[in-house]
Amino acid sequence: MGKETRIEVPDLPIAVAQGFGGYHVPNITEDTANLFEEVPSLGIAGDMLMAAASGAAEPKPNFHVGIPEHSEITNNLVGKFFPIGLRRAEIIQRLSGYGISSTAFAEYVPHTRFNLRYIKSLSDILGKFETYRIEKVCFKNLGLAGGETQVIQTRPSEIGEPQTWRERTVQPTSAATSLSAYMGAAYGFQLYKEDGPDEDRAAKVANWSCLKGVGDNPWMMPDNWYQNRNARRNLPPGIGTERFRAISIRQDMQTSNVIRRMIKTPR
């Protein structure tokens, strides 16, 4: 009844595509699309950094993973957030200093796209900021049997006109038996891939699919691919029993609220 949960941690993405590592698998297919829509990988993040290191004014990221013919990657790909616009020359110079360019990426662990020097430099920079308060979190010691688990499911509560996942109104529910005062509410982007009432397959999947069709003969998502969109997110019986329901709120508003509470000194 949801009292105990054993978490299956995803494997470290180390697949290589076109000579670059850090991906779940080399190709986005019906069997692997859910990974690229749900689990971050340093391969995708590395491709974004390589694009930022380009000298182009508004570079288009070159994602090295294979995709079906007549398709292209959308912003629903985990790790691809926004188009890269104008940026200072120092950014390109800084990335170059750590072995990152539009055609190369220095790795410290083979096939992981992990650059230790660059990560450490970012940590040093963030450590100097005093704008945000950082909360310390203490974890209780757990035995092999685990402990009471708070599994929170977030689903869109309003199905209508197509919206980006950042703007959708969602409602968390949980099977936990703790007092609601202890639970709070968790808001996770794209926790469940729900779409609108439109009958056109391309329109139905636009809110969550990491691929879309392009050209005169555009790729169309196969039926099995569509039906299995939440296959990794379906919970066992008992855990999915709803015992708690929070107030619905737009995801971008909730994110703003969290950031606002972290700010120590308004600027």
Side-chain angles (χ1 to χ4, degrees):
M1 297 301 293
K3 278 289 190 179
E4 187 176 305
T5 302
R6 299 182 184 276
I7 298 176
E8 181 179 355
V9 179
D11 293 333
L12 178 67
I14 56 173
V16 176
Q18 299 184 39
F20 293 92
Y23 303 106
H24 300 293
V25 290
N27 300 292
I28 300 178
T29 66
E30 176 178 330
D31 297 324
T32 63
N34 285 338
L35 287 170
F36 286 95
E37 291 167 350
E38 300 168 12
V39 184
S41 73
L42 288 178
I44 301 300
D47 288 337
M48 291 294 292
L49 277 178
M50 290 174 67
S54 166
E58 297 183 1
K60 184 177 181 180
N62 177 20
F63 297 104
H64 297 88
V65 291
I67 60 176
E69 288 186 321
H70 309 295
S71 71
E72 69 178 14
I73 286 173
T74 73
N75 284 339
N76 294 319
L77 180 75
V78 171
K80 180 185 188 303
F81 298 110
F82 301 103
I84 299 174
L86 298 176
R87 57 215 179 281
R88 295 183 178 182
E90 298 96 285
I91 293 178
I92 299 175
Q93 296 169 359
R94 182 179 180 80
L95 290 172
S96 177
Y98 293 109
I100 301 172
S101 70
S102 60
T103 58
F105 196 103
E107 290 183 326
Y108 279 67
V109 181
H111 311 318
T112 61
R113 201 78 71 89
F114 181 75
N115 188 309
L116 179 61
R117 288 181 60 223
Y118 180 62
I119 292 293
K120 187 177 183 302
S121 71
L122 293 179
S123 177
D124 292 340
I125 292 173
L126 293 175
K128 297 177 182 178
F129 283 105
E130 297 183 356
T131 302
Y132 298 99
R133 65 170 60 91
I134 305 299
E135 301 290 346
K136 292 184 178 180
V137 178
C138 297
F139 295 93
K140 296 179 179 179
N141 293 327
L142 296 177
L144 294 177
E148 184 174 7
T149 304
Q150 297 178 3
V151 178
I152 300 179
Q153 301 172 314
T154 305
R155 295 178 182 270
S157 57
E158 294 181 5
I159 304 297
E161 294 298 320
Q163 296 172 293
T164 65
W165 279 89
R166 293 183 300 274
E167 298 171 345
R168 301 195 84 170
T169 299
V170 296
Q171 182 178 52
T173 63
S174 177
T177 55
S178 299
L179 296 175
S180 59
Y182 297 158
M183 293 184 55
Y187 289 80
F189 294 157
Q190 299 188 21
L191 185 57
Y192 276 87
K193 302 170 189 173
E194 305 286 0
D195 45 39
D198 200 312
E199 294 299 325
D200 178 70
R201 175 62 59 83
K204 289 173 70 71
V205 305
N207 287 328
W208 51 265
S209 175
C210 66
L211 298 176
K212 69 177 181 179
V214 294
D216 296 332
N217 184 26
W219 169 81
M220 292 295 292
M221 181 179 288
D223 188 62
N224 285 343
W225 189 321
Y226 174 78
Q227 296 297 337
N228 293 332
R229 63 191 184 276
N230 287 318
R232 291 170 40 82
R233 304 180 180 198
N234 294 327
L235 299 176
I239 293 180
T241 302
E242 181 181 312
R243 297 187 180 88
F244 169 81
R245 178 178 294 185
I247 298 174
S248 296
I249 189 171
R250 273 181 41 155
Q251 302 213 57
D252 55 349
M253 293 177 62
Q254 176 66 7
T255 302
S256 297
N257 289 339
V258 172
I259 294 175
R260 180 168 52 84
R261 288 179 172 85
M262 291 175 61
I263 296 176
K264 292 193 293 186
T265 305
R267 295 193 176 189

